[in-house]
Amino acid sequence: MGRSAYALVLLPLLYAVTDATGSIALGGVAIAIYGAGASFLAPVRAWFIDRYGARPALAVLTAVFGTTLAAISVASMRDAEGAVLIGLGALAGVFAPPLGPTMRVAWGRLAPTDALLKKALSLDAVVEELLYLAGPAAAGIALAVIPPGIVLAVPAVVVLVGGFSFAATRVVGEMRPHDRTARAAAPTRALLRDARFVGILIPALVAGGIAGSISITVPVTVADHGGPAAAGIALGLFAAGSAVGGLAYGALRVPGSPAQQLVALGATLVATSSVVALVSGAVAVSAVVAVAGVFFSPVMIVAYIAAHRAGGEHRQNAATTWVNTGHNIGASAGSALAGVLVQLSGVPVAVALISAVAAVLLIASVLLTRPHPRVSRTEVPL
């Protein structure tokens, strides 16, 4: 319930700021600043959870985030200045509670075996896909009949109810801060200075980049074959394929280590999505992206599993949050790069170049995660 707020907040936030200020540009700035804070400060919030315990950290973050959304709701209905609304949007992004990453750490405590953990993370990924499939649609329908300021109050309420309910659970209460002795004995090197951990993040970055590029190339490809409606259906089928792939991955026994699976699944995602450059027509494009979507959720699921292991006892929230952040960075870079390349050279060239970059990154992942001749007993195998 708490995580559904993130799928509901973007459209009403955009229209609330736009209606209050009369400027779509200021609405876009509010969304951008909110998104930047929510995405790029996520590792900092995860560090606070690992350092001070999940329950108090989540309670504070949820309280500030929910009340800030409520403040934007009220301020927008009173036609507040753009600077005020943008400032509140930035504050909401800074304090966005990492409910998803913390839930994935909780699954690690609730699932006693690796097989059950894989199933739990598969279910988690499917539910998240469904939230982001249904959330914007529900917000759009509500905005057609209700003022955006009132619609924005909905994610404020659901994140407060869902976030506090989650923080009150036993498993979150057990995520306590470690004492000084335990922290002193824990690894002190930053996760991003660990080459093998970076190797885990790269396929998640690639998956985000492919998803971001698809959001640009598909609408352009079907512009003359159904327009926005066809593009919406195709992108919805990508999400549906991802949900199916997540369920299938949770049910199947896949050979190979997580590092090997990450590269294989990432390469398959790149290969299938690149077929968009070779087809035309809404039906063909929709079929291609639906098949590509099947491999998206499994990449993210395996990345979370590998990060869960690599984070050890003391940095699990930080590790799983970095996977989220890597995906978000990839999605932003993929959509920006696709937009520039499509404008300059068209869809086929854009897809080819993005696929080539993705292939190089996956090769780097192989090199970074390959076993070393001497592995200490304290290292977590991938």
Side-chain angles (χ1 to χ4, degrees):
M1 184 176 181
R3 288 161 70 179
S4 69
Y6 295 115
L8 293 167
V9 73
L10 292 181
L11 279 178
L13 177 59
L14 172 65
Y15 285 108
V17 176
T18 300
D19 286 2
T21 62
S23 171
I24 186 67
L26 290 178
V29 170
I31 289 290
I33 291 180
Y34 161 78
S39 298
F40 298 116
L41 292 179
V44 177
R45 294 188 292 270
W47 180 86
F48 275 99
I49 288 176
D50 285 332
R51 178 68 173 78
Y52 296 105
R55 180 170 286 166
L58 280 181
V60 171
L61 291 171
T62 298
V64 176
F65 181 70
T67 53
T68 303
L69 291 183
I72 298 173
S73 171
V74 173
S76 67
M77 289 189 287
R78 295 186 175 183
D79 295 332
E81 295 292 330
V84 173
L85 295 171
I86 290 172
L88 288 172
L91 183 66
V94 169
F95 283 90
L99 300 177
T102 308
M103 183 68 241
R104 294 179 188 107
V105 175
W107 283 127
R109 296 171 179 265
L110 294 170
T113 66
D114 287 345
L116 285 176
L117 176 59
K118 186 179 79 167
K119 292 180 184 295
L121 292 177
S122 299
L123 173 64
D124 188 279
V126 171
V127 170
E128 188 161 88
E129 289 290 346
L130 294 177
L131 286 177
Y132 279 94
L133 195 61
I141 293 170
L143 287 167
V145 294
I146 302 173
I150 296 177
V151 177
L152 190 58
V154 175
V157 172
V158 297
V159 77
L160 288 170
V161 175
F164 284 135
S165 298
F166 178 52
T169 60
R170 176 185 56 81
V171 67
V172 172
E174 291 174 351
M175 297 181 197
R176 298 184 179 90
H178 302 285
D179 59 35
R180 292 183 180 180
T181 303
R183 288 198 301 270
T188 57
R189 186 171 61 171
L191 285 169
L192 292 187
R193 294 181 62 187
D194 184 340
R196 289 168 67 77
F197 183 73
V198 173
I200 294 172
L201 296 184
I202 288 176
L205 179 78
V206 167
I210 294 299
S213 66
I214 283 176
S215 69
I216 303 298
T217 57
V218 165
V220 174
T221 303
V222 301
D224 297 326
H225 302 277
I233 292 172
L235 295 176
L237 287 173
F238 178 81
S242 179
V244 171
L247 287 174
Y249 179 81
L252 298 173
R253 300 187 66 179
V254 182
S257 67
Q260 293 168 336
Q261 291 179 27
L262 275 173
V263 173
L265 290 166
T268 308
L269 172 63
V270 172
T272 51
S273 63
S274 66
V275 180
V276 167
L278 306 176
V279 300
S280 61
V283 174
V285 170
S286 296
V288 168
V289 297
V291 173
V294 170
F295 300 97
F296 176 79
S297 275
V299 172
M300 299 305 298
I301 293 165
V302 180
Y304 287 127
I305 292 173
H308 187 273
R309 296 177 180 176
E313 181 67 22
H314 306 284
R315 299 184 295 180
Q316 289 181 354
N317 280 285
T320 55
T321 300
W322 270 117
V323 173
N324 260 25
T325 302
H327 166 270
N328 292 336
I329 292 172
S332 299
S335 57
L337 183 59
V340 172
L341 292 175
V342 168
Q343 181 69 32
L344 293 176
S345 306
V347 170
V349 173
V351 171
L353 290 176
I354 290 171
S355 298
V357 171
V360 171
L361 289 172
L362 290 174
I363 291 171
S365 177
V366 172
L367 297 176
L368 291 171
T369 57
R370 63 182 178 180
H372 298 293
R374 294 181 180 179
V375 179
S376 69
R377 292 184 180 181
T378 59
E379 292 184 27
V380 179
L382 302 178

